[in-house]
Amino acid sequence: MILTAFKPAKDIQAETPVFLPTSVTLEHFSTAVHADGFWSFWRNSLIVTGSCVLLALVVALGAAFAVARLRWRGRRGFVLMVFVAQVAPWEALLIPMYVIARDTDMLDRLATLTLVYFMITLPFTIVTLRSFLTAIPVELEEAAQVDGCTRAAAFRRVTFPLLAPGLLATSLFGFITAWNEFAFANMLIIKNQDDRTLPVWLSSFSNVFGTDWGATMAASTLFALPVLILFLVLQRRVAAGMTGGAVKG
């Protein structure tokens, strides 16, 4: 993808395939960046993905704490429902979601897309954070409570810092899921083309004259950059062990 993005058109369309470009050009990147609505679609994707991840983390953190730390009637049934929701193919919801959005006048709205992505990423976020919380000894919170902390303060001062690697890992996977999603974005944003996201925008390089492969590869490279940068920034924190953090604390 990256090599093709830098290849001149004659190398891309050559009868004999050329792996390495004979020369380097930025023409395809210029075409992608100056395409109609590029920055608007970039902004839309950031807004939808960021809002979805943040909302999922807030809700899932409370649900994961209730499942991992509290004892209440129906807890096992709730966990089973979350696991079922996680393994269920979200593609099966395409038609029901469209019908609901159409009947409630919620088509062509970024808020609708954010809500759908939130529902898709929420089960995975709950399951992952529950696993991280279960791995943190509850005795740490109990010791803090003995020293005078309330339950909320013990969670905030002791458990939450140890949970940071789990939050980062979960947010990264949630970001990737929402950032790359195409089907719902293509189906729920129909008339208002200005609210499209980047995955849908990538299809705009296909027209009646064929596909501009150079511009498509350049746009795909730009599309992959945020996820790559986010992973490189967070990889050290994501790989940090929670038990190691407990010893350091």
Side-chain angles (χ1 to χ4, degrees):
M1 178 181 70
I2 297 175
L3 289 175
T4 304
F6 287 99
K7 286 180 183 179
K10 62 181 181 65
D11 285 354
I12 298 176
Q13 302 294 338
E15 182 177 351
T16 302
V18 179
F19 182 70
L20 294 176
T22 57
S23 59
V24 175
T25 179
L26 297 177
E27 177 184 356
H28 304 310
F29 286 95
S30 177
T31 301
V33 171
H34 291 93
D36 291 339
F38 171 77
W39 296 110
S40 297
F41 303 144
W42 189 280
R43 180 201 60 204
N44 293 340
S45 287
L46 286 177
I47 291 175
V48 172
T49 303
S51 301
C52 154
V53 171
L54 183 60
L55 186 60
L57 284 177
V58 172
V59 176
L61 183 59
F65 179 83
V67 171
R69 290 288 192 262
L70 305 179
R71 297 294 179 265
W72 41 279
R73 181 177 298 179
R75 183 172 63 94
R76 292 186 178 180
F78 175 78
V79 174
L80 179 61
M81 290 176 57
V82 172
F83 274 106
V84 171
Q86 181 186 0
V87 301
W90 56 263
E91 290 85 354
L93 300 176
L94 280 170
I95 295 178
M97 285 294 182
Y98 173 80
V99 173
I100 293 174
R102 182 198 62 191
D103 294 344
T104 56
D105 195 26
M106 291 293 289
L107 289 175
D108 298 304
R109 297 186 182 183
L110 289 180
T112 304
L113 200 57
T114 301
L115 183 60
V116 170
Y117 289 174
F118 161 72
M119 292 189 296
I120 292 175
T121 57
L122 183 61
F124 168 80
T125 308
I126 293 176
V127 171
T128 306
L129 290 182
R130 171 182 173 270
S131 300
F132 277 98
L133 272 172
T134 304
I136 299 176
V138 68
E139 290 78 12
L140 294 176
E141 293 182 33
E142 293 174 348
Q145 288 178 279
V146 171
D147 289 339
C149 286
T150 63
R151 187 161 200 169
F155 177 81
R156 185 179 69 254
R157 297 182 180 181
V158 177
T159 305
F160 189 78
L162 300 179
L163 193 60
L167 292 171
L168 292 176
T170 305
S171 62
L172 178 60
F173 287 111
F175 185 93
I176 293 174
T177 300
W179 184 260
N180 293 332
E181 203 284 322
F182 171 82
F184 280 104
N186 188 49
M187 182 186 65
L188 296 177
I189 307 296
I190 303 175
K191 296 180 180 179
N192 191 1
Q193 299 298 308
D194 291 337
D195 284 340
R196 291 186 298 176
T197 56
L198 280 176
V200 180
W201 170 77
L202 284 174
S203 64
S204 64
F205 291 102
S206 298
N207 50 48
V208 294
F209 301 104
T211 300
D212 187 345
W213 290 111
T216 300
M217 295 298 104
S220 300
T221 301
L222 295 175
F223 174 70
L225 278 180
V227 175
L228 178 61
I229 293 173
L230 185 63
F231 174 78
L232 293 177
V233 171
L234 299 182
Q235 63 172 338
R236 183 172 299 179
R237 295 295 304 275
V238 170
M242 290 181 299
T243 54
V247 173
K248 293 178 182 179

